[in-house]
Amino acid sequence: MNPEPRLQVRFYRTAAAGKEPVREWLKALTPEERKLIGHDLKTAQYGWPLGMPLIRKLEPGLWEVRIRLDDRIARVIITVEGDTMVLLHSLIKKSQKLPLQDLQLARQRLRALREES
């Protein structure tokens, strides 16, 4: 018998255009990369709360899911609101540190999400 997921998962949707940036990013990746990312997101969904090496807290309300692909590193920045994990932003890392502009975009989306609810 499969355990119930601890969290529901949903994609952040922009208010103006109704776009889902993380879903669109995923569609641009290879099927193998999508499968690896999906597996790690599912691990987070069923095992929440988790820590390193899979999940790292960035600041209050923001975490990153750390995903190793074959030849690069992906990150999905999430927030957890009640029993829902919202996928706010995603990127392929090119440097050791999370780029500030990516963190700021995740913060903006988190603010927008909280204003909406």
Side-chain angles (χ1 to χ4, degrees), residues 18-116:
K19 292 187 183 284
E20 295 174 325
V22 176
R23 186 186 304 267
E24 291 167 16
W25 174 81
L26 284 167
K27 286 179 180 177
L29 299 175
T30 67
E32 297 79 30
E33 290 172 329
R34 285 196 300 267
K35 186 175 181 181
L36 289 169
I37 292 167
H39 178 268
D40 285 350
L41 289 172
K42 190 172 183 180
T43 299
Q45 177 187 14
Y46 279 79
W48 188 262
L50 294 169
M52 293 287 278
L54 182 63
I55 307 279
R56 182 170 76 102
K57 185 167 188 157
L58 298 172
E59 57 189 48
L62 290 175
W63 291 264
E64 67 177 356
V65 181
R66 303 158 46 91
I67 304 146
R68 285 198 163 282
L69 303 175
D70 287 340
D71 58 349
R72 48 199 189 154
I73 296 170
R75 295 290 186 262
V76 177
I77 301 176
I78 65 168
T79 191
V80 176
E81 301 276 317
D83 67 349
T84 303
M85 173 171 60
V86 182
L87 311 181
L88 295 171
H89 182 59
S90 50
L91 64 141
I92 298 293
K93 276 189 67 179
K94 292 177 174 59
S95 64
Q96 195 69 25
K97 199 168 160 90
L98 182 68
L100 184 58
Q101 70 189 41
D102 288 294
L103 183 57
Q104 288 172 332
L105 184 54
R107 286 176 182 149
Q108 277 180 326
R109 291 179 179 167
L110 178 59
R111 267 194 309 278
L113 184 71
R114 289 183 171 164
E115 287 169 5
E116 169 189 298

